Amino acid sequence: MSTYDVEETGMSEQQALMDFPGAEALRAAGRVEAPSADALARAMAAVEGAARREVREGVVVAPLRKRRRLLSVIALAAVAAGVAVAGVNLRAGDQHGTARAQSASVFLNNVAEVAATQPAGSGRYWKTRTDSMGAYISRSMDVTYTSASGKPFRKSHFPGWRLGSRTYDWNGLDALTTDPDQLLRRIENTTKASADEDEDAATLGFVQASTLLANAPAGPRLRSGVFKALADLRGVSVVGTVKDSIGRSGTELSFHGGVGTTEVIIDPRTSKLLELIEPWRSEKDQRRATYLSTGLTDSIG
């Protein structure tokens, strides 16, 4: 708190800190029973989203009187969720990190249930269309690339989708285990395919799993299993509700690895992965893939 704030308000530092909308409700809450996992997930998602917006607006580094906006959001979310508080002690740290992890786990397990109910579909090709190009992969792993307008421009052989230390073709994905514990072990035991890969092994594992969810012909049970595996992966946290680069709404998750932070945006209503932003070489170098549409089809174009 600055000297200006003290002189301007005539309050002590502690009094000024707690002078924000929602403070009285927070004090009145006192000590309560621990919240449910769902309530905590909702509260933490709200707090993370509010904090993200405030940081973007420069409020967090502004004078104290502006930071009260963020504190009021945190206070109301805490009371709504029934978060146990003692007096006015609002400390961040291990408990905050644990809450974010619990929030991610709840969200991912819920999305896993959605994924399990999606139709499998049918078709000769697996189609992926991003903001830059399209790809049509056959069961023989031949791939036809198309321009943003849908015009074919190159044919090649697709090497497959990596998960852990192995690469899977279309038939291999059909035979891959759907057990979350086994999938988690594969993700955690990821190894680099070549020395040219710049991500650390942990980031590679998360990116591979996210890519499989985004643009691989994984059936509903496999996608559900991968979501459940990620729910138990350390380092995953919920950021909150955001817009992707083309304005679609989804829930953003982040993974904190050795290279930097990887971000994914998921539509919780459909379990579709909308966007993947991964660090490359460093936090400053990022690669983004925006998935416009994916699915099975019988024709190219």
Side-chain angles (χ1 to χ4, degrees):
M1 178 177 182
S2 67
T3 303
Y4 175 79
D5 284 318
V6 173
E7 293 176 350
E8 181 186 43
T9 63
M11 301 178 183
S12 69
E13 182 173 348
Q14 182 175 2
Q15 289 172 330
L17 178 64
M18 293 305 296
D19 181 32
F20 59 87
E24 290 301 324
L26 183 60
R27 292 192 188 97
R31 286 191 178 274
V32 297
E33 294 297 323
S36 67
D38 286 339
L40 187 58
R42 291 193 299 271
M44 288 312 303
V47 171
E48 292 292 340
R52 185 183 179 90
R53 289 190 295 272
E54 296 288 2
V55 169
R56 285 173 175 169
E57 295 171 6
V59 174
V60 173
V61 296
L64 179 63
R65 58 186 178 276
K66 293 183 180 180
R67 296 203 302 270
R68 291 178 194 136
R69 288 172 53 194
L70 176 59
L71 287 171
S72 66
V73 174
I74 295 174
L76 293 174
V79 173
V83 175
V85 293
V88 295
N89 189 13
L90 296 174
R91 295 183 299 173
D94 290 342
Q95 292 179 346
H96 179 63
T98 300
R100 291 178 66 182
Q102 289 176 342
S103 176
S105 179
V106 171
F107 173 78
L108 285 163
N109 276 304
N110 287 340
V111 173
E113 297 302 319
V114 175
T117 64
Q118 298 302 300
S122 62
R124 297 171 54 198
Y125 304 97
W126 173 257
K127 178 189 73 173
T128 301
R129 190 163 70 91
T130 68
D131 52 346
S132 59
M133 65 188 308
Y136 293 78
I137 303 171
S138 68
R139 278 198 171 270
S140 60
M141 301 303 287
D142 294 321
V143 56
T144 300
Y145 295 100
T146 62
S147 64
S149 62
K151 183 178 180 180
F153 68 87
R154 183 164 65 91
K155 293 184 178 181
S156 181
H157 177 78
F158 189 73
W161 298 271
R162 279 184 61 81
L163 188 67
S165 59
R166 292 186 55 187
T167 300
Y168 298 87
D169 60 13
W170 193 331
N171 293 327
L173 287 180
D174 288 343
L176 183 60
T177 180
T178 60
D179 179 74
D181 292 335
Q182 293 186 41
L183 290 169
L184 178 60
R185 284 195 289 271
R186 282 172 167 78
I187 295 170
E188 291 178 330
N189 294 327
T190 295
T191 57
K192 292 187 177 184
S194 71
D196 295 330
E197 290 179 318
D198 295 290
E199 296 99 333
D200 57 284
T203 299
L204 275 174
F206 182 77
V207 169
Q208 288 176 3
S210 299
T211 302
L212 187 147
L213 289 168
N215 68 350
R221 291 183 60 191
L222 178 55
R223 296 187 76 254
S224 178
V226 173
F227 276 122
K228 289 180 180 179
L230 291 178
D232 291 329
L233 183 67
R234 296 185 62 180
V236 183
S237 59
V238 168
V239 175
T241 301
V242 299
K243 300 283 188 181
D244 70 4
S245 60
I246 60 172
R248 296 174 299 181
S249 180
T251 300
E252 182 177 323
L253 300 178
S254 63
F255 178 80
H256 308 285
V259 175
T261 301
T262 303
E263 302 167 345
V264 295
I265 302 176
I266 300 169
D267 184 344
R269 301 166 302 173
T270 63
S271 77
K272 292 283 189 180
L273 197 147
L274 305 178
E275 197 163 75
L276 168 64
I277 304 172
E278 58 177 306
W280 183 57
R281 295 179 181 171
S282 71
E283 187 75 38
K284 294 180 180 179
D285 297 319
Q286 291 184 325
R287 294 182 292 191
R288 186 193 73 206
T290 303
Y291 298 97
L292 303 181
S293 63
T294 59
L296 293 166
T297 182
D298 285 319
S299 60
I300 296 175

